[in-house]
Amino acid sequence: MSETAPPLRLLYFAWLRERVGVSEETLALPEGVATVGDLTAWLRARGPGYAAAFASPVVRCAVNQDFATAEAPVAPGDEVAFFPPVTGG
Amino acid sequence: MSETAPPLRLLYFAWLRERVGVSEETLALPEGVATVGDLTAWLRARGPGYAAAFASPVVRCAVNQDFATAEAPVAPGDEVAFFPPVTGG
Amino acid sequence: MAATVRVQTAPFDIAAELAALSAGRTDIGGIGCFVGNVRDSAGGRAIAAMTLEHYPGMTERALAAIAAEAEQRWALLGITLIHRVGRLLPGEAIVLVLAASAHRQAALDATAFLIDWLKTRAPFWKKETFADGGEDWVTAKDTDDAAAARW
Amino acid sequence: MAATVRVQTAPFDIAAELAALSAGRTDIGGIGCFVGNVRDSAGGRAIAAMTLEHYPGMTERALAAIAAEAEQRWALLGITLIHRVGRLLPGEAIVLVLAASAHRQAALDATAFLIDWLKTRAPFWKKETFADGGEDWVTAKDTDDAAAARW
């Protein structure tokens, strides 16, 4: 991974935002993270707020504003959002 | 049938009204008429406009503002309406 | 639950009817609505106007009976049925159905039920005046009977 | 067909949206409509307010995708999807769905489809503030998933 690669943009919504403590952050794609599942595991180990947020099995994800599964690839420059199941309407 | 019995009130709608030529008329319940089917047969023999109106197999009827079949009874004082299948909405 | 049932020649005001249905209420979760309009053609023939005739007295009874049937079938918090009569032009609204409920599925199902039954059980008749000067009574559709029979 | 898709904090004007959808058109036979309101209680607990959060950017994309899917499935002449965000009180309208078609069945089916998919595929989240001061995020319902999966 080049050091000039664009960062990831991470977004958190609803109770994930409240548990993580921020609505948005940017970071370089961590070593060894290639998928949404990898990223989730990496974030979970980052601190108690993240651990609490990602402890729930219902956490949903979108990569570049499309719903994505744990297997979806994550690359530098991506916008990755985590949130609970949606409850609009 | 007593001569002081109240008359039938007959109503015609849509193309039945146009064929019969009137929208409404009153008449004494004819001899031998006990049902909607009897009344229809009696009216059909009343003139060419009536014959044309009641020639159609789709003619519908309401007695006292409730949908009624050919077997429904007709009595002095009833309001009997004839019309095509409804097409509102 | 009070149903509002009306036959009128004047246009209806949908916003006013929605407001009347939900005024002061905080128990309504969803309102289903259907507006029927006069179309500009029928069977490929251009339409200049539509004239609606009805059976005064029986119409109101029939609409009230249809509303009562919907109340039996769904947990509703309000129903509005308004049907216009007289001469209408293409683009004008003919009929308005509103059904309010705590839950959306009941509101949507009741709305579909009300318009399906209204089309087959209320004494209205439409006459089309064509752009070429001809006119004819609209014939009842088998598809309307089938739609009403679903419920 | 152009779909109107909007996320806003302000109330919407249903009459204006209906007028915009059908302005100058004489080919529309029916317009299906659904209005979702904030209810005053949830699970027997009184609600003081509802706060809606969304994912700006993705929301508009998701609503446009849902509208496009409806256009694929039915012959529609217009779609309007408006969803409010921010703090709303019981009795206030949250969401408006309009679907216009030449025929009523398409309009009604598309309306039900649009609200079902909107509830499960658009990134909105509701937080309830209870009259007793507590607050909690609304949990997604299995019945909403089942309703969306029908289509």
Side-chain angles (χ1 to χ4, degrees):
Chain A
M1 192 68 51
S2 153
E3 284 185 36
T4 61
L8 283 181
R9 185 178 179 215
L10 300 186
L11 304 176
Y12 307 97
F13 291 98
W15 52 255
L16 267 103
R17 172 178 50 73
E18 293 178 339
R19 292 185 193 175
V20 167
V22 298
S23 60
E24 181 173 342
E25 60 185 331
T26 55
L27 54 97
L29 185 69
E31 283 282 340
V33 168
T35 67
V36 167
D38 297 339
L39 181 59
T40 304
W42 186 86
L43 288 167
R44 192 179 286 121
R46 211 171 167 213
Y50 288 91
F54 287 96
S56 168
V58 304
V59 173
R60 299 288 196 271
C61 180
V63 175
N64 298 325
Q65 304 190 353
D66 284 322
F67 287 105
T69 62
E71 293 71 40
V74 173
D78 281 350
E79 175 175 303
V80 183
F82 293 100
F83 42 78
V86 305
T87 55
Chain B
M1 192 69 50
S2 154
E3 284 184 36
T4 60
L8 283 182
R9 185 178 177 216
L10 300 186
L11 305 176
Y12 307 97
F13 292 99
W15 53 255
L16 267 104
R17 172 178 50 72
E18 292 179 339
R19 292 185 192 176
V20 166
V22 298
S23 60
E24 181 172 344
E25 60 185 332
T26 55
L27 55 97
L29 186 69
E31 282 282 339
V33 168
T35 66
V36 167
D38 297 341
L39 180 59
T40 303
W42 186 86
L43 287 167
R44 192 180 285 122
R46 209 168 168 218
Y50 290 92
F54 288 96
S56 168
V58 304
V59 172
R60 300 287 196 270
C61 180
V63 175
N64 298 326
Q65 304 189 352
D66 284 319
F67 288 105
T69 62
E71 292 71 40
V74 173
D78 281 348
E79 175 176 302
V80 183
F82 293 100
F83 44 77
V86 305
T87 55
Chain C
M1 192 212 76
T4 297
V5 161
R6 233 159 51 227
V7 180
Q8 61 189 46
T9 53
F12 43 77
D13 178 340
I14 296 166
E17 297 303 333
L18 272 165
L21 190 68
S22 51
R25 300 200 72 137
T26 53
D27 54 351
I28 293 174
I31 301 172
C33 170
F34 178 78
V35 182
N37 284 4
V38 179
R39 290 175 62 205
D40 56 9
S41 71
R45 203 167 166 198
I47 286 178
M50 179 85 87
T51 305
L52 280 118
E53 177 172 335
H54 79 120
Y55 181 172
M58 180 172 170
T59 313
E60 292 79 0
R61 280 169 57 119
L63 294 180
I66 292 165
E69 181 69 28
E71 281 185 68
Q72 288 286 323
R73 294 177 180 224
W74 292 278
L76 300 178
L77 298 170
I79 290 175
T80 301
L81 294 178
I82 301 178
H83 204 297
R84 292 177 66 193
V85 292
R87 187 177 168 90
L88 302 175
L89 300 178
E92 285 196 79
I94 307 177
V95 62
L96 175 67
V97 174
L98 301 178
S101 175
H103 303 288
R104 82 177 180 287
Q105 197 59 54
L108 290 168
D109 287 349
T111 301
F113 167 85
L114 287 163
I115 185 66
D116 281 348
W117 272 37
L118 188 153
K119 282 196 168 262
T120 55
R121 295 179 183 236
F124 293 99
W125 301 276
K126 285 176 182 156
K127 184 180 228 175
E128 289 165 339
T129 304
F130 299 100
D132 60 23
E135 52 179 34
D136 215 347
W137 293 95
V138 173
T139 305
K141 292 192 200 117
D142 291 344
T143 52
D144 285 339
D145 289 332
R150 292 183 300 164
W151 301 103
Chain D
M1 191 211 78
T4 297
V5 161
R6 236 160 49 227
V7 180
Q8 61 189 45
T9 52
F12 43 77
D13 177 338
I14 296 167
E17 298 303 333
L18 273 165
L21 190 69
S22 52
R25 300 199 73 138
T26 53
D27 54 350
I28 293 173
I31 302 172
C33 171
F34 178 78
V35 182
N37 285 3
V38 178
R39 292 174 60 204
D40 56 8
S41 70
R45 203 167 165 199
I47 285 178
M50 178 85 86
T51 305
L52 281 119
E53 177 173 333
H54 79 119
Y55 181 173
M58 181 172 170
T59 314
E60 292 78 359
R61 280 170 57 118
L63 294 180
I66 292 165
E69 181 69 28
E71 282 185 69
Q72 287 286 324
R73 294 177 180 224
W74 292 278
L76 300 178
L77 299 170
I79 291 175
T80 301
L81 294 178
I82 301 177
H83 205 296
R84 292 177 67 194
V85 292
R87 188 178 168 88
L88 302 175
L89 300 178
E92 284 197 80
I94 307 178
V95 63
L96 175 67
V97 173
L98 300 177
S101 175
H103 302 289
R104 82 178 181 286
Q105 198 57 56
L108 291 167
D109 287 350
T111 301
F113 166 85
L114 287 163
I115 185 65
D116 280 349
W117 273 37
L118 188 154
K119 282 198 167 261
T120 55
R121 295 179 181 235
F124 292 98
W125 301 275
K126 285 176 184 157
K127 184 180 228 174
E128 290 165 339
T129 303
F130 298 100
D132 60 23
E135 51 179 33
D136 215 346
W137 293 96
V138 173
T139 306
K141 291 192 201 120
D142 292 344
T143 51
D144 285 339
D145 288 332
R150 291 183 300 164
W151 301 102

